[in-house]
Amino acid sequence: MTKKNTTPLVRRTILVPFILITSLFALWGFANDITNPMVSAFKKVLELDNFQASLVQLAFYGGYFTMALPAAIFVNRYSYKKGILMGLALYAIGALLFYPATAYEQFGFFLAALYILTFGLAFLETTANPYILSMGSEETATRRLNLAQAFNPVGALLGLVVAQKFILAALQSDDLLPNGEPVYGTLTESAKELVRTSDLSVIRNPYVILGLVVIAFFVIIAAMKMPHNERQEGKVAIGDSIKRLFKSKKFVGGVVAQAFYVGAQIMCWTYLYQYAESFGIDNASAVNYGIAALVIFLSGRWVGTAMLRSIRPGKLLFFFALGASICTLVTIFVPGIVGLYALVGISFFMSIMFPTIYGIALDGQGDDSKFGAAFLVMAIVGGALMPTLQGLILDLGGTGYTDVNILGVPEVNFSFILPLGCFVLVAIYARNVYAKYNI
């Protein structure tokens, strides 16, 4: 008879701090998914092409790459708690900068605000992920991280709802004439200025409110006594730590797989709106499909976390990457509503990828985990670069989404060849990890 594992996922003595840190996963999920629809919103309000609009994601996810390693150095010198407080401070500053950005009506100012905001998110992710791993035994670490990460799509879902109800639905630049032509393009320059000012204010307000909420979290965590793991939070020589990490093929492969996974996720969630618009679904209505994708993602995270009790992480990751690849093929080669359903369905298979790759890559890294965490967060730069490449594909025949056909399908469909390649690479990593390390 198999002995039942009685190791607790989280000790009761640190349950409140665990819940508080877990709530941060929802907080940065909100920022991620209120921002995804902004690519399309900024394109219309500021009359940008697809490449220029994709710079929203370049600024947003580029901040992760810039600040992840400095965040790890900061945490190594001080503590997880101070790292989280620094992250919340930067997050709040970036969100509040939307106020002056709106006053100046400069796209570059908005990009700078998003860039600084994600400095804060880089601190939070670099710190909170290994902090959660440290709140218990290594045996249950990957499951514990999957549990905490399950609350990320809760925040993401709320971010999408806010984007739909309070931003996209209120944008005058998205209004259409009876013949389907955008009203905004027919206005005089002075009328456009009035609409632009109004729409940018609509975009600004949720970010400013978000900044105030983040300040409240800062105050609560600053006042609370947080657990301190002497082994996990001990000082580590950065040079030696990085050398050890990059001698591990499992870790290096994990960083590469994470970069491609995040790129795939952001492409699927960002260009869902353009995919829907290509056959007549407007942005505000397309958000319903984005919400469905997040609900499915959340369901997949809970299902996947439960499955990890009996299936090795590498094996489960392989089958989920295979499922994502199949759905992406349907998205590419079956235009219309069926392809959109498949695009939404990809989210189920993406659900466990980030925390599972993260847990596999850091498995057995010990004191080097804090710097390992930094490189895994830096890998989020895939979310900055890959959507930009997809934007270039969409611009091949013009600023529309069905200007040219490639392999018999519109360019918006073909552009999903990029996430398909990403999922294949994740599947290869998962298979190698399971075969070599039995993880």
Side-chain angles (χ1 to χ4, degrees), residues 70-86 123 127 227-230 232-236 370-371:
I73 294 170
F74 182 92
V75 171
N76 185 53
R77 182 171 181 179
Y78 297 104
S79 65
Y80 283 139
K81 178 178 178 177
K82 289 181 179 178
I84 285 169
L85 291 175
M86 176 63 79
F123 259 89
T127 306
H228 183 81
N229 187 315
E230 293 291 344
Q232 292 280 353
E233 297 195 52
K235 302 293 186 293
V236 180
K370 64 182 67 174
F371 291 111

Side-chain angles (χ1 to χ4, degrees), residues 191-325:
K192 278 185 179 180
E193 286 180 9
L194 292 174
V195 171
R196 186 183 303 122
T197 299
S198 173
D199 281 2
L200 291 177
S201 297
V202 168
I203 292 172
R204 173 199 68 197
N205 293 339
Y207 282 93
V208 172
I209 294 170
L210 176 60
L212 298 176
V213 171
V214 172
I215 290 171
F217 269 90
F218 180 96
V219 172
I220 293 168
I221 292 176
M224 177 167 285
K225 183 178 181 181
M226 303 297 288
H228 183 81
N229 187 315
E230 293 291 344
R231 184 177 63 81
Q232 292 280 353
E233 297 195 52
K235 302 293 186 293
V236 180
I238 181 172
D240 293 339
S241 178
I242 291 174
K243 285 179 184 177
R244 287 191 295 270
L245 286 167
F246 279 87
K247 285 180 181 178
S248 168
K249 291 182 180 179
K250 177 169 67 69
F251 172 77
V252 173
V255 172
V256 173
Q258 197 74 289
F260 281 103
Y261 160 66
V262 174
Q265 177 191 296
I266 302 309
M267 285 186 286
C268 289
W269 287 354
T270 298
Y271 290 105
L272 178 150
Y273 302 94
Q274 287 81 346
Y275 192 97
E277 191 174 333
S278 72
F279 58 93
I281 299 176
D282 63 77
N283 261 5
S285 299
V287 172
N288 292 321
Y289 292 93
I291 290 171
L294 276 174
V295 170
I296 290 171
F297 185 85
L298 177 59
S299 301
R301 184 66 61 80
W302 288 108
V303 170
T305 300
M307 293 174 73
L308 283 169
R309 295 176 64 90
S310 55
I311 302 176
R312 295 278 187 177
K315 191 173 185 179
L316 189 64
L317 180 63
F318 172 77
F319 285 117
F320 272 51
L322 189 62
S325 299

